Amino acid sequence: MKNLIKPFALFSIVALLISCKDEQQVKVEKLTESYSKYLDSLTLEKSEEIVSKWNEIENEFNNKTTALKNEINQLDDKDDFEKKFAAVGIRYEDFKKDILVKKAEIDAKNAQLTRNKELFGSQFIHDDMKFEWVNKDNILAVYDQFVTTVQKNKDTYSREDWDEIKLLYEALDSRKNTVEKQGLTSKDNMKIAGLKLKFAPMYTVNRMGAKSEENANAKK
């Protein structure tokens, strides 16, 4: 009887080990499927929404990556799972590149809008080149804020910033031509002329300096 117990005990241990291996394989299969589906779900969301919560998404994906990799490493036969794991990783890197490009575009637009609101006030809206909110009563204040802000930040603007600022300045000047016909006082007009004389050389000198700095950096 004792001789029968030993083989049975050995069989039980082997069966238990096989069962544990099967359970681990099933666990990894489920995690791998969930890992892939998570990436699929991200690709279906609008890129703007992904960008707005990118740090959170990247952290979550990295956590899932680490967890799955640890589980795969516990398998003896893991080649197939490592291939599936790597394939999802490649898809994620391609997805990440596209999102980071979109994120850079959105960040640039937000920075541009922030800069323009500093130049013209909170009433300025994105891509506003008509300045219809500017009238005979507030145009002097708008010019004053514009020139004051440019003077304060002139050392931080890039050549591209200066080019965009010049376009906005010219658009504001175009609006001034309309406002003059709506009753702009000669007193305010004279003050605006003074501000324009202040801006012109500041633009020329600082844009030239920004361009020279960019050229110097490009040579490094």
Side-chain angles (χ1 to χ4, degrees), residues 143-152 195 198-199 202:
Y143 268 99
D144 186 61
Q145 178 168 339
F146 171 81
V147 175
T148 301
T149 303
V150 169
Q151 186 173 34
K152 182 179 71 174
L195 290 168
K198 190 175 180 180
F199 171 76
M202 186 164 49

Side-chain angles (χ1 to χ4, degrees), residues 8 21 68 104 109 112 124 141 159 167 182-183 196 205 209:
F8 179 77
K21 287 175 69 175
L68 178 55
K109 284 184 178 180
Q112 184 185 60
F124 183 90
R159 180 177 57 83
L167 288 174
Q182 297 174 347
K196 288 165 63 69
V205 171

Side-chain angles (χ1 to χ4, degrees), residues 65-80:
T65 297
T66 300
L68 178 55
K69 191 172 184 179
N70 289 338
E71 296 295 339
I72 290 175
N73 286 338
Q74 294 181 45
L75 295 173
D76 292 329
D77 185 10
K78 54 188 177 183
D79 288 350
D80 287 343

Side-chain angles (χ1 to χ4, degrees), residues 162-187:
W162 281 111
D163 290 343
E164 292 173 355
I165 287 169
K166 182 67 180 305
L167 288 174
L168 289 164
Y169 173 75
E170 290 172 348
L172 178 60
D173 268 356
S174 179
R175 177 61 179 172
K176 176 179 172 292
N177 294 334
T178 300
V179 171
E180 284 179 358
K181 300 172 186 177
Q182 297 174 347
L184 178 63
T185 66
S186 58
K187 184 179 178 180

Side-chain angles (χ1 to χ4, degrees), residues 43-54:
T43 61
L44 295 176
E45 289 192 46
K46 293 181 179 178
S47 56
E48 292 81 3
E49 294 177 1
I50 293 292
V51 166
S52 68
K53 53 184 178 180
W54 176 246

